[in-house]
Every structure is written in structure tokens, then in C-alpha cells.
């Protein structure tokens, strides 16, 4: 894992001291809320429905056990005993006191963490594949590249006041587990025909009120040039992005309005200038960073056999583990979606337990997924049963990864001041309706995603089944969408028709699922069947 | 009726204007009539509240009930965590919100 050097630590420590002073001045009345708001947002501190909310950055979703324990400590000491893992691989605390926020940031700094650039119109936390460094299908570890971008984008003077927020994701495999085509910039590490390493660059994707799948702006940019190329991408956006209209200010609107080809042409023109400025890292810098991400000391000669005699363990093994590049090891995914639970929430005790288990079984490393689960990336197959037993005893052993109850849900109107409708109760009701694991397994991979407003933090556009909560004359109402995907076959869901109330939406989901069961052919997922037969049979089933 | 709400500056807690002070309990809120904005301006200037605003509410036997669900949830806490509710936990809490 990356370790801060003296510059990183100084940056974070200085920011804590600066924010402590700003909070003191705010409480003393020396600055108004209008003056203070942009300062607190730059430190991840929002004012939400019930209290201040702090969003802590988890760069590319990677955490050490020590950092994870700090997250538990903050939940216990400063919040109400739990945290919420988000769809951008971060964690949020919902009950923060302003006067304690500087102390929290100081505590975070002791484990090389912060909340910088988790809000505001800047480059946000760089996200990545939660299986990075472990997946059998990757051509390299994407995290050193993500870390390079983290350093490039932190306090970037030109990009601290962009037209709108900016999200970048990096992967290194053909299978997209980070939804790169739905980011402002998506980067896929690949080799060209000459065998050189570089990135395919997607620009202009996103969800929100105007969802778009990003086009490819450049099929290959050498790793030696990609930082200056991204600088050019951002410069063109910074110059021409719609600052006059909040709802048209994201880069996806610019790329859409002028066209991908024209945007790419302008980027090339800008890059011809930018690359002469010496912005790309000097030789050796990537290697310096990459050394922090060296593979852990895997044992060799381990067996592949796993005792499946415990049937509950066998179910978890089948759904919640993923192939590892190292023989004898597996990637284990801890579901934060127990039936009836709150997607992404974990108690301080559970966070501590996951940290302990990572220390014992996964070389001290954890990952946060954009699907609001936790990954232990490097577990010996021989240890999987002991791991599962420990997880199961703490309510963390649910065997539902990528099944219908593994629901992404934003905090919704239960916590968020932007939301129009509650998301969590809908997720809970659907999970309870499909609580039978045999039924879930029969349905196979089915990604259900719920947002409580058009801002789409719950990724409803990218759900095989998506649900969008809206306000209809003061009542919560839920629109249903089918056909979205955040994977390498990215697509946007289409709205079925009129919305439903809280109970009606659960019934509608069930009718859709039963329609799929009736129509599917061998091996077809819900998404595949929908793409083959179209909306009509589903509409007929739902609306009669 | 119109009632005035905001957040405590230091704690972020949801608070309601009682005519004399800011309370955590919506049932203590008073009808501010047309004077809400002026009170909000004065109280915000004195740093006794953050981001105050006036909302519509209805009178009930147990006190004011905000007309919009967002403010009812603010008044009681997350519906999915009744253990964190501002009010004592009771079976009717969900009905009060919905």
C-alpha cells in the first residue's frame, strides 16, 4: 500500500490546522455560513438532513487494517457507532458535530487519511477496481496509476474550481468492475499492438439527471504521456464547460454538445502544447509509487481444495469469492447487505472485526467496493472457512454477492437533504421479499440499484433493474427502469412507465422478475433477457 | 400554520423555534405567522442557529406536524433507525412520518 512521504503528511497536517482555525472562526462568528460553507465542503463536511455529515476519502478503495480501525474509532467516538460505505468507495458519517470535525481530521491524519476533495467542484477521489492487484484477469495493478493521479489532482491549482465536480476511475482488465464508462473520465490500462502499456481513455460519461455512456476519446495513450493528456482533457473542459448552468456543467454535456470527435480534436490541440511543459512524471516516479503496491509475500505450493461439507459455507463460497491470480488464494467479498439491513452500513464493531480479519487472513489489506461491500483481496483458500465462520457470527456472512438482494442504495430521504424519496426502506422490502436464497440464486446475477433523487448516487441508471425515487405532489413515488449496466457492456436503463408507491414498487419488481423467469433461455441473466425481448413483455406484466 | 426550523450551529442537530429558544422537539414549535424570516435572520446573526427556514405545518393533538415528509423525517430521525429517533421509540412513529 502507498505510504505518505513527508510532502503528503505535511499537506494533510497543514490542512487540518487550517480547518481547525476556520471552524474556530465560524463558531466565534468571525465568518458567516456563506463564507464557511465552501471551506467545510473542501474538507468533506456537509450539512445534511439531521446533522453535519463527513465524507472520508478512501483512495481507490484501498485500506489497511490500521486505517479501518481508525474508521471504527471515529464511528464510536464521534458518531453514533456506525459508518456508511458509499458508491464511490468512501465512507460517510452521519452525526458529526462541527466542533469535533477538526479532531476527526487530525485522527485521520495519523493513519494517512483525510477528507480533502470529497466534495466541491474539483477532481474527487480516484476510484478503481476493488480486485486490483489480485484479479486473475488484470494486466497490471491499476492502483499505482490511480495514486499517480491522486497526487497530480490533489490541490491542483488549475482544477480546484472546475465548472462542476469531476470523477475519474481506473481499471486494468477487460471486465469493468468500476463503471468507468459512467465516469467523467474512465481509464482502461491495456497494451497496444506493439505491446506497449497505455490507456484507453473514455471521457464524458456520468449518471445524474442527464445520464451518458462515455465515448472513447483516444484508444491508446502511452503511460508516459497520460498525465499530460489528462491535463489537456481537463483544460478543455475548464475552458468551455457550462459555468452558466449548474445542470449543464458536467463534462458529459460539453462532450455531447460539441461531439466526441471535436472534443478529442481540441484535446489533441491542447495536448500538443501541454506535453511540452514537462507535466508528466519524471522517469522513475511511477516505479517509486508502484513499489508500494508490490504483491504481498504469497505462499507457494498451496492446495486448491476447499472443504465444502458445510452447506451454508458452500453457498457463500460460490457467490462471495472471486478467482485470484495467485494459486491457492481467493478474493473474498464481505456483503454489507444482510436481509433487512441498510446497504453499506457497518457498525464500529463490525468495522473492527473486518480489520482484524484482514490482518489475520489478507495481508492487512481491505477494499471498499462501489457496490458498498468490503473485500479481503488475498485470502488463502485454506482459510476461507475460518474467515466465513468469523464473518457469519457477526452478521457479515450473507451469501448474496451480485444477487437481487445485493442492492446498491443511496442514503435517500432518511439522511440526504437533496433526496426526494427514501431509498433504504425500498431496498429492505425488496431484500425481504426475495429473502429466500434459493430463489435469489435461481435468478442469478441481477443488479438492482436505487436512488432517492435524480442525482443518481444509487446508480439507478446502471441497474439491470433501477429504481428512482421522486416527489409526486408531496408523496414518495418510485419509477422503475430496466436494462442498465455499469460493466464493460455499459448501458442506461429505460423507464418502464408510470411510477409506484412504496409497496407497489416491490410488487412491480417481483412481476418483472417472474416475467424474466418465464422468458429466459439457458444461461441468460435478467439483463440478457431484457435486451433480447425488449420492454414490452415486462410492461404488460407490470401494468397489465 | 408556519413553523421555523434549522440546525444547531455547533452540533448540527435539527432544532425548532419555540418563541424563546430552539428546541430539539417539533412539538414545541410555535406558529411564527409571517414573522419567520425576521426571526431566522436575527437568530442566524446571533449564531444560535444555522440555515434556518420556514415550513408549513398542521396542528395535531401532539403538536405541529410538518406538511412535507422531508421535514417530518428531520423531526423524528431516519425512519430506518428508530433507535436513533428524537422522540421516544413508539410503534406509531412510522405512521407519523408517512
Amino acid at each position: 500500500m502507498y505510504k505518505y512521504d513527508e510532502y503528503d503528511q505535511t499537506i494533510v497536517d497543514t490542512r487540518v490546522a487550517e480547518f481547525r482555525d476556520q471552524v474556530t472562526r465560524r463558531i466565534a462568528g468571525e465568518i458567516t455560513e456563506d463564507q464557511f460553507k465552501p471551506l467545510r465542503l473542501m474538507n468533506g463536511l456537509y450539512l445534511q438532513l439531521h446533522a453535519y455529515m463527513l465524507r472520508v476519502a478512501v483512495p481507490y478503495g484501498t485500506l489497511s487494517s490500521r486505517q479501518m480501525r481508525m474508521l471504527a474509532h471515529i464511528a464510536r467516538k464521534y458518531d453514533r457507532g456506525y459508518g456508511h460505505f458509499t458508491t464511490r468507495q468512501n465512507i460517510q458519517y452521519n452525526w458529526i458535530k462541527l466542533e469535533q470535525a477538526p479532531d476527526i481530521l487530525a485522527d485521520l491524519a495519523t493513519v494517512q487519511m483525510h477528507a480533502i476533495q470529497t466534495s466541491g467542484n474539483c477532481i474527487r477521489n480516484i476510484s478503481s477496481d476493488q480486485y486490483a492487484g489480485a484479479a486473475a484477469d488484470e494486466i497490471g495493478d491499476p492502483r499505482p496509476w490511480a495514486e499517480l493521479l491522486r497526487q497530480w489532482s490533489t490541490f491542483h491549482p488549475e482544477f480546484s474550481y472546475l465548472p462542476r465536480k469531476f470523477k475519474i476511475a481506473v481499471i486494468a482488465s477487460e471486465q469493468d468492475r468500476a463503471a468507468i464508462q459512467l465516469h467523467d473520465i474512465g481509464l482502461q490500462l491495456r497494451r497496444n499492438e506493439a505491446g506497449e502499456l497505455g490507456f484507453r481513455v473514455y471521457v464524458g460519461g456520468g449518471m445524474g439527471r442527464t445520464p451518458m455512456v462515455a465515448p472513447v476519446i483516444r484508444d491508446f495513450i502511452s503511460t508516459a504521456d497520460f498525465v499530460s493528456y489528462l491535463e489537456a482533457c481537463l483544460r478543455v473542459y475548464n475552458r468551455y464547460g457550462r459555468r452558466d448552468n449548474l445542470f449543464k456543467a458536467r463534462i458529459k454535456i460539453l462532450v455531447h454538445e460539441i461531439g466526441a470527435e471535436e472534443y478529442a480534436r481540441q484535446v489533441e490541440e491542447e495536448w500538443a502544447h501541454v506535453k511540452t511543459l514537462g507535466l508528466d512524471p519524471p522517469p522513475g516516479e511511477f516505479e517509486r509509487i508502484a513499489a508500494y503496491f508490490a504483491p504481498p509475500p504469497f505462499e507457494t505450493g498451496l492446495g486448491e481444495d476447499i472443504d465444502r461439507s458445510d452447506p451454508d459455507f458452500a453457498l457463500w463460497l460460490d457467490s462471495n469469492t472471486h478467482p485470484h491470480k495467485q494459486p491457492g488464494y481467493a478474493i473474498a467479498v464481505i456483503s454489507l447487505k444482510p436481509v433487512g439491513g441498510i446497504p453499506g452500513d457497518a457498525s464500529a464493531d463490525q468495522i473492527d472485526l473486518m480489520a482484524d480479519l484482514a490482518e489475520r487472513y489478507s495481508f492487512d489489506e481491505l477494499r471498499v467496493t462501489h457496490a458498498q461491500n468490503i473485500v479481503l483481496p488475498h485470502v488463502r483458500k485454506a482459510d476461507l472457512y475460518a474467515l466465513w465462520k468469523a464473518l457469519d457470527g457477526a452478521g457479515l456472512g450473507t451469501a448474496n454477492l451480485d444477487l437481487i438482494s445485493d442492492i446498491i442504495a443511496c442514503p435517500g430521504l432518511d439522511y440526504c437533504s437533496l433526496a426526494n424519496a427514501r431509498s433504504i426502506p425500498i431496498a429492505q422490502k425488496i431484500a425481504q421479499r426475495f429473502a429466500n436464497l434459493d430463489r435469489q440464486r435461481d435468478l442469478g446475477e441481477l443488479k438492482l440499484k436505487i436512488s432517492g433523487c435524480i442525482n443518481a448516487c444509487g446508480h439507478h441508471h446502471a441497474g439491470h433493474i433501477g429504481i428512482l425515487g421522486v416527489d409526486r405532489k408531496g408523496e414518495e413515488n418510485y419509477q422503475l427502469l430496466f436494462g442498465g449496466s455499469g460493466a464493460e457492456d455499459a448501458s442506461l436503463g429505460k423507464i418502464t412507465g408510470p411510477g409506484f408507491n412504496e409497496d407497489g414498487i416491490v410488487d412491480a419488481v417481483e412481476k418483472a422478475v417472474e416475467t424474466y423467469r418465464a422468458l429466459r433461455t439457458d444461461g441468460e441473466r435478467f439483463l440478457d433477457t431484457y435486451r433480447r425481448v425488449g420492454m414490452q413483455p415486462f410492461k404488460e406484466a407490470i401494468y397489465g | 400554520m408556519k413553523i421555523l426550523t434549522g440546525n444547531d450551529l455547533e452540533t448540527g442537530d435539527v432544532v425548532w423555534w419555540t418563541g424563546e429558544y430552539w428546541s430539539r422537539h417539533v412539538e414545541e414549535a410555535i406558529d411564527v405567522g409571517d414573522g419567520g424570516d425576521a426571526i431566522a435572520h436575527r437568530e442566524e446573526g446571533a449564531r444560535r442557529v444555522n440555515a434556518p427556514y420556514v415550513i408549513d405545518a398542521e396542528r395535531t393533538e401532539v403538536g405541529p406536524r410538518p406538511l412535507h415528509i422531508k421535514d417530518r423525517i428531520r423531526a423524528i430521525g431516519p425512519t430506518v433507525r428508530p433507535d436513533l429517533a428524537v422522540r421516544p421509540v413508539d410503534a406509531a412513529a412510522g405512521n407519523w412520518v408517512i
Side-chain angles (χ1 to χ4, degrees), chain A residues 131-143:
Chain A
Y131 300 159
D137 63 342
E138 70 180 15
I139 65 164
D141 189 334
R143 292 173 303 161

Side-chain angles (χ1 to χ4, degrees), chain B residues 54-95:
Chain B
V54 177
I55 61 167
D56 292 318
E58 61 182 345
R59 297 177 199 278
T60 74
E61 289 179 1
V62 294
R65 180 177 185 265
L67 288 187
H68 198 280
I69 184 174
K70 178 176 286 191
D71 294 305
R72 294 198 293 275
I73 292 175
R74 287 182 74 245
I76 200 166
T79 65
V80 292
R81 289 296 302 264
D83 55 319
L84 302 178
V86 175
R87 294 173 161 204
V89 176
D90 66 81
N95 295 336

Side-chain angles (χ1 to χ4, degrees), chain A residues 414-454:
Chain A
D414 277 300
Y415 289 99
C416 178
S417 57
L418 296 176
N420 292 318
R422 292 171 300 154
S423 304
I424 298 166
I426 305 302
Q428 291 173 318
K429 286 189 174 186
I430 292 172
Q432 282 159 346
R433 179 72 64 91
F434 292 91
N436 184 310
L437 197 54
D438 290 336
R439 187 182 185 193
Q440 291 188 53
R441 286 163 56 83
D442 173 65
L443 297 173
E445 181 186 291
L446 208 170
K447 299 195 176 186
L448 198 152
K449 309 185 183 190
I450 308 174
S451 302
C453 78
I454 195 69

